[in-house]
Amino acid sequence: MNEKEFFERQGRIQREITVERYRQLNKSTIKGQILFAGSSLAEQFPMNEMLLRRDMPYQVYNRGVSGDTMEGLTKDIQTLVLDLAPSKLFINIGSNDIGGVVYDENGLYNNYCILLETIAKALPACKFHVLSYYPVNPSKASFLDAMAKKFLFANRTNENVDRMNQLLEAYCQDHHITYINVHDILLDSEGNLDEVLTVEGIHLWPAAYERILEVLLPFF
């Protein structure tokens, strides 16, 4: 086993642990609450801490999985979404698909549509909220070296993000699904993710999530 294979294996194991942890936690959840699902951009949303000072009529659960893709969420949709039977679902998945070594825009869009249709069929009373993809900033100074940046931002560009957001917004309009633009509030004057809001050009600091939460609260 070489180094690349080792780290890929560790990533798969960590994902399995995360999903199993959620599976066990689901046994004590309350049905009909608010649910966030997606990748690390959802998992790292510190919503429960941010909501402590607010009087919320709902419980808010987070089933984000670091590094997850559309394939991963679809595979474990029972644990990550359906078992909780949410009344409201906020979903943000696919950023890692855009940032993959090979990016298939049509494939991601079609699989997103299939995922939403699958959930709608299983949870007809659930209100869907599709979050836009966040912008990125490949110029952000961080711990990433040049090689890492070349890999991470090869396909994860603002142009690709914008096109997918346009496709998702049109789909949501056609299917009476709530699409929430949490993209524009994170931009700097040059159309990139504001560097003060991001760790390394992709993931977000709490200040960014504070902005996002203010946009989302009217939909809770």
Side-chain angles (χ1 to χ4, degrees):
M1 180 184 298
N2 60 36
E3 184 179 21
K4 180 175 182 293
E5 292 171 338
F6 171 79
F7 283 108
E8 288 177 347
R9 179 177 179 273
Q10 292 303 108
R12 290 193 297 270
I13 291 172
Q14 185 57 52
R15 185 185 184 281
E16 291 172 3
I17 292 172
T18 299
V19 174
E20 178 58 29
R21 183 181 294 114
Y22 286 152
R23 185 177 292 110
Q24 295 186 23
L25 285 171
N26 287 349
K27 297 176 182 178
S28 59
T29 57
I30 303 170
K31 308 294 185 184
Q33 304 302 301
I34 294 174
L35 173 64
F36 279 73
S39 61
S40 59
L41 293 171
E43 184 181 36
Q44 294 178 14
F45 198 151
M47 60 192 71
N48 287 312
E49 290 186 51
M50 292 179 174
L51 291 171
L52 283 175
R53 64 181 182 269
R54 301 175 185 271
D55 184 19
M56 293 294 299
Y58 296 100
Q59 292 287 335
V60 181
Y61 297 108
N62 190 328
R63 291 296 180 264
V65 178
S66 180
D68 226 356
T69 60
M70 188 66 66
E71 179 183 7
L73 178 55
T74 301
K75 178 174 72 73
D76 290 307
I77 193 67
Q78 190 67 44
T79 298
L80 300 176
V81 176
L82 303 185
D83 283 349
L84 290 94
S87 60
K88 297 179 181 180
L89 171 65
F90 293 80
I91 187 168
N92 183 341
I93 187 67
S95 175
N96 291 317
D97 295 85
I98 296 175
V101 176
V102 177
Y103 172 46
D104 178 3
E105 181 180 277
N106 289 331
L108 174 58
Y109 172 73
N110 291 333
N111 288 335
Y112 209 140
C113 297
I114 292 170
L115 176 69
L116 294 174
E117 291 165 5
T118 299
I119 300 173
K121 184 176 180 180
L123 302 173
C126 179
K127 294 182 179 179
F128 286 32
H129 304 78
V130 173
L131 276 62
S132 65
Y133 292 109
Y134 305 139
V136 297
N137 188 338
S139 299
K140 162 74 178 186
S142 72
F143 57 88
L144 295 176
D145 59 25
M147 182 63 70
K149 283 191 173 185
K150 182 178 180 180
F151 171 75
L152 287 172
F153 294 101
N155 293 313
R156 199 190 305 257
T157 65
N158 284 315
E159 291 76 17
N160 285 339
V161 165
D162 290 343
R163 283 198 297 271
M164 273 305 304
N165 280 340
Q166 292 168 8
L167 290 171
L168 287 179
E169 183 174 17
Y171 176 87
C172 289
Q173 290 177 347
D174 290 343
H175 293 81
H176 308 291
I177 295 172
T178 301
Y179 172 86
I180 306 178
N181 183 348
V182 286
H183 172 278
D184 294 356
I185 58 168
L186 305 177
L187 293 172
D188 63 15
S189 60
E190 297 180 354
N192 295 308
L193 174 58
D194 193 329
E195 65 175 15
V196 303
L197 301 175
T198 178
V199 179
E200 80 300 51
I202 299 171
H203 295 92
L204 307 177
W205 290 121
Y209 285 114
E210 287 278 9
R211 293 189 186 185
I212 294 168
L213 182 61
E214 290 302 318
V215 176
L216 299 183
L217 280 173
F219 299 97
F220 278 22

